[in-house]
Amino acid sequence: MASLLPTTTPTFPSHFTSSKKPSQILIHGNFKKNNNARHLPIRCTNNNNNNINNNNNPQSSVETLLRKLDRRDILLGLGGFYGAAANIGSSIADTVGTGEPIPYPDLTKCTTAYIQYDPTGQKENVEVPYTCCPPTPTTEIKPYKLPEPSVMRVRPAAHLVDDRYIEKYMKAVQAMKDLPESDPRNFKQQANIHCVYCNFGYPTGVTGDDGNEIRLQVHHSWLFYPFHRWYLYFYERILGKLIDDPTFALPFWNWDTPCGMTMPHMFTTKNSPLDPDNASKPNPLYNEKRNEAHYPPAILDLGLDLSGSKVVTSDIHKVCNNLALVYRSVVNNGFDAVGALGGPYYYGSDLKSDGSLELLHNMAHIFVGKPANKTGNPPTYGEDMGNLYSAGKEPLFYCHHGNVDRMWRIWQDLGGKNFNNKAWLDSQFFFYDEDANPVYVTVKDCLDEKKMGYTYQPVTLPWRLAKPVPKTIKSDVGTTSTSPSVATVFPATLDKVVKALVQRPQISRTEGQKKKKQEILVIDGIQLPLGEFVKFDIFINDDDEKGANLSKAEFAGTFTSLPHGATTSSGHASSTTSFRIGLNEILEDLLCEGDEKIQVTLIPKAGCEMVTVDYIKVDFA
Ligand code: C2O
């Protein structure tokens, strides 16, 4: 069998990294219209006659208003986007450095994945109680060739599907669960794909700085989007195959629109949502390991605050916070590929930074999973959705990731440019296809989802109108603040609110300068404890220390981290990362482009007692 598997590191040409700067600076007139924004009216109710290709008429005055606003956004809102979006896709050649692509793993080396791993011995090591390794291939692992798409699979918004769709979807997932467990297409095997790739089950054969072998990880870097796209691609094709429907498309959890901000109904009933009183019809989309307090009508809380007194309780407030955070994550902090999609991750290198869209997505994981209780009997770790090792066991995971994948598309529609770095394009993953053939895939083949045979139902994007509200009167916080400087405050532990004045290297930049380079706030050397859910928010020129309102211009971004079993290489007790915030538009909206300093406040929201930050600074990218 070994001959079928890579025994050595594939060699790649070393001259691939281009030093040429892409000149993809977008100007107002070039800004692409977002097609997704125009078609469907907002509807909060399920409609059995709903056809996803059907443009229904608005049903209420609210909808009419939203539609109008949406058109206004297309016509006028672009001007509002211009300051920030002009920099989406600016040059990143300097930021990503060079390195080799990551080859698909050597399956013969697959080992135990850990829920909790602490080489310092301070905490007990907890293994995943079953193997996450895939079945050993019995045929050669071949490069995967995208089939010519004969039909387009249209992924629908989960809150808008009809009963026929739900029936079909339940049938497909049930069939997947009914496959023999040894079949790589079986539901548990599909869940294991996530576990092994996400909880460090694959050693890379490269020794890290700490003397331990570096293990593969597909979160916290530029592999996050491509990996999950391929993962869903095969999951969807397997489901379609099992019900003999080549048009079958996964639903997406449309949590970026108010009507989609609860867990989609079809996942939340124990019995079939089409026949809830009939106990003989269990719902294969249901999962017990969830936070039941978060079932509908509970609204997803992307702005979640677990730090005690500051809890946001009203639904409308949550909706507003959610929309503002989506706006910040996509438009401002997704100002370039590193910002949106994550930092570079080369063969044998360490992880560097999570993209803003990955940080955002973590929140739905935490919302769905049962809160961890590590001292309970038995101890729990946020299963299923709230911990990466178990997240794939949650049927809703794939629906959530449909939306995450859709966000990648929307970011591109708004002008975001993917990496053109060869190491990214040539990185590989291993999967079984819908016929259970072992294949390896490359990142470059997944950049256009239409070529992969699927697309998303177009729905409105209300968050494009939810830009945190610009100031009309300039606050004097930046000029009169008596907060200490960065050098006095950092390194700092986030066990409390941390505030510092940060010097800006340049003030009052011209439009031309702003288009060329994004002014960024770098939060570097963020040291995270293992196995904890961590969240802190960043505000600029704001004296409020609660940070409950994300809809105001002072709100700059959110950093989050999901519990994971081990770290970047196998040996640390914590992991270090960084976060970059796109400041161009935020400083304009705060009317403080002429100030020499900004006051930055880091507000801990969850799990921050052990989190430290080395320094923060203003820079350009
Ligand atoms: Cu692999 Cu949402 O995580």
Side-chain angles (χ1 to χ4, degrees):
M1 202 47 47
S3 64
L4 303 177
L5 304 163
T7 48
T8 52
T9 310
T11 48
F12 296 88
S14 59
H15 48 76
F16 50 68
T17 32
S18 158
S19 55
K20 213 177 105 214
K21 289 191 178 191
S23 53
Q24 295 147 340
I25 294 154
L26 297 169
I27 53 167
H28 194 179
N30 281 354
F31 197 77
K32 268 209 229 160
K33 282 187 184 174
N34 178 14
N35 296 326
N36 282 344
R38 275 173 293 171
H39 305 291
L40 287 188
I42 289 204
R43 283 182 303 148
C44 286
T45 49
N46 191 354
N47 176 343
N48 286 347
N49 300 320
N50 175 37
N51 171 338
I52 54 177
N53 296 315
N54 189 5
N55 293 357
N56 292 310
N57 286 326
Q59 292 167 348
S60 73
S61 56
V62 175
E63 289 162 3
T64 313
L65 176 66
L66 276 168
R67 278 170 71 85
K68 269 195 193 144
L69 283 170
D70 205 53
R71 270 194 218 104
R72 256 188 69 225
D73 181 41
I74 296 293
L75 296 172
L76 307 171
L78 297 179
F81 260 48
Y82 144 77
N87 273 289
I88 289 184
S90 64
S91 166
I92 51 157
D94 301 339
T95 321
V96 298
T98 57
E100 306 260 313
I102 295 191
Y104 71 90
D106 179 346
L107 305 184
T108 62
K109 299 231 174 91
C110 182
T111 58
T112 315
Y114 287 91
I115 301 172
Q116 177 171 287
Y117 187 84
D118 187 357
T120 64
Q122 288 169 17
K123 277 186 199 154
E124 204 190 333
N125 291 343
V126 183
E127 291 179 8
V128 175
Y130 46 86
T131 176
C132 295
C133 297
T136 308
T138 53
T139 56
E140 191 187 347
I141 302 175
K142 296 219 171 107
Y144 183 72
K145 267 193 70 146
L146 282 177
E148 274 305 318
S150 48
V151 287
M152 193 57 83
R153 300 170 193 254
V154 184
R155 294 185 180 172
H159 66 291
L160 297 178
V161 296
D162 61 19
D163 288 358
R164 259 190 31 213
Y165 177 88
I166 295 175
E167 201 164 1
K168 191 158 77 171
Y169 184 33
M170 287 199 314
K171 198 170 144 205
V173 173
Q174 190 59 57
M176 185 181 253
K177 290 184 167 177
D178 290 344
L179 287 171
E181 272 191 33
S182 57
D183 189 317
R185 300 165 302 176
N186 168 280
F187 185 77
K188 282 188 188 154
Q189 295 283 359
Q190 290 295 303
N192 283 347
I193 295 173
H194 197 255
C195 170
V196 70
Y197 265 112
C198 309
N199 278 49
F200 303 91
Y202 290 126
T204 60
V206 179
T207 307
D209 294 343
D210 58 7
N212 288 300
E213 194 172 1
I214 293 178
R215 290 167 164 270
L216 205 52
Q217 170 59 268
V218 292
H219 298 85
H220 319 298
S221 81
W222 66 11
L223 290 191
F224 176 78
Y225 270 85
F227 168 79
H228 290 86
R229 175 165 285 183
W230 277 117
Y231 183 25
L232 257 64
Y233 171 84
F234 289 116
Y235 182 81
E236 177 174 79
R237 292 179 74 87
I238 294 166
L239 291 175
K241 173 108 192 177
L242 291 171
I243 53 168
D244 198 20
D245 180 356
T247 70
F248 174 77
L250 283 171
F252 64 91
W253 181 8
N254 195 185
W255 40 251
D256 57 311
T257 198
C259 302
M261 285 179 187
T262 59
M263 281 191 225
H265 172 69
M266 65 180 135
F267 292 90
T268 61
T269 57
K270 222 175 191 144
N271 303 327
S272 161
L274 307 176
D275 196 359
D277 297 327
N278 190 344
S280 69
K281 285 196 185 157
N283 179 5
L285 305 176
Y286 179 76
N287 178 19
E288 271 182 355
K289 294 187 174 169
R290 287 184 185 148
N291 187 339
E292 275 160 28
H294 287 171
Y295 271 166
I299 302 266
L300 170 67
D301 188 3
L302 296 176
L304 181 73
D305 186 343
L306 298 178
S307 65
S309 59
K310 299 176 280 188
V311 187
V312 170
T313 46
S314 97
D315 284 348
I316 190 69
H317 191 161
K318 286 179 193 165
V319 169
C320 295
N321 279 353
N322 290 350
L323 294 175
L325 181 54
V326 175
Y327 183 95
R328 282 285 186 250
S329 305
V330 179
V331 177
N332 301 112
N333 300 334
F335 62 89
D336 68 4
V338 175
L341 309 180
Y345 181 35
Y346 297 109
Y347 186 67
S349 82
D350 253 348
L351 301 156
K352 286 206 182 63
S353 62
D354 300 17
S356 61
L357 303 177
E358 181 180 349
L359 297 176
L360 174 70
H361 118 286
N362 287 343
M363 295 309 299
H365 274 269
I366 285 298
F367 181 76
V368 178
K370 247 196 201 344
N373 180 5
K374 291 190 212 165
T375 53
N377 183 20
T380 59
Y381 300 90
E383 290 88 351
D384 280 329
M385 200 56 165
N387 196 306
L388 293 182
Y389 94 88
S390 52
K393 296 198 278 185
E394 167 59 79
L396 182 50
F397 169 93
Y398 305 88
C399 184
H400 170 42
H401 268 274
N403 205 37
V404 176
D405 187 71
R406 174 178 159 266
M407 284 290 169
W408 185 11
R409 161 49 49 206
I410 292 170
W411 175 77
Q412 286 177 266
D413 286 345
L414 291 176
K417 292 279 183 289
N418 285 327
F419 299 99
N420 59 5
N421 183 305
K422 202 161 180 311
W424 184 65
L425 296 169
D426 287 346
S427 282
Q428 302 170 341
F429 310 107
F430 168 81
F431 287 98
Y432 281 99
D433 72 7
E434 68 270 24
D435 296 315
N437 296 315
V439 295
Y440 70 88
V441 296
T442 54
V443 169
K444 64 172 175 290
D445 288 337
C446 78
L447 303 182
D448 183 348
E449 71 284 355
K450 293 210 177 72
K451 286 203 182 118
M452 299 173 87
Y454 74 90
T455 185
Y456 288 97
Q457 173 185 19
V459 292
T460 47
L461 302 177
W463 51 267
R464 290 188 60 186
L465 303 168
K467 172 167 114 146
V469 181
K471 305 284 280 184
T472 43
I473 300 169
K474 180 177 182 299
S475 101
D476 57 3
V477 174
T479 45
T480 61
S481 164
T482 54
S483 292
S485 69
V486 172
T488 5
V489 179
F490 290 89
T493 305
L494 300 190
D495 52 352
K496 55 183 172 322
V497 173
V498 171
K499 224 183 247 186
L501 274 177
V502 187
Q503 188 78 38
R504 294 173 60 212
Q506 230 182 314
I507 60 164
S508 306
R509 295 194 308 146
T510 63
E511 283 306 307
Q513 287 170 320
K514 284 194 275 181
K515 270 182 208 159
K516 231 174 166 163
K517 293 247 177 205
Q518 177 85 210
E519 184 166 349
I520 58 171
L521 179 69
V522 184
I523 304 174
D524 214 355
I526 306 171
Q527 188 125 29
L528 302 162
L530 276 180
E532 301 299 328
F533 167 57
V534 165
K535 179 172 190 277
F536 63 88
D537 287 342
I538 300 98
F539 285 78
I540 292 171
N541 285 358
D542 196 3
D543 274 335
D544 169 51
E545 295 191 356
K546 285 204 168 68
N549 183 1
L550 310 186
S551 300
K552 55 183 186 180
E554 288 88 343
F555 168 63
T558 292
F559 178 86
T560 63
S561 177
L562 284 179
H564 46 312
T567 50
T568 50
S569 63
S570 60
H572 314 292
S574 59
S575 78
T576 310
T577 185
S578 62
F579 182 36
R580 303 185 315 156
I581 286 175
L583 288 177
N584 277 11
E585 184 180 54
I586 297 174
L587 297 181
E588 281 172 17
D589 292 348
L590 290 173
L591 305 172
C592 68
E593 290 176 285
D595 292 356
E596 286 180 351
K597 288 177 184 169
I598 52 173
Q599 177 183 275
V600 176
T601 312
L602 307 182
I603 304 184
K605 295 286 179 78
C608 284
E609 295 75 16
M610 305 278 289
V611 174
T612 56
V613 174
D614 272 354
Y615 68 90
I616 58 178
K617 68 168 180 186
V618 171
D619 203 346
F620 299 96

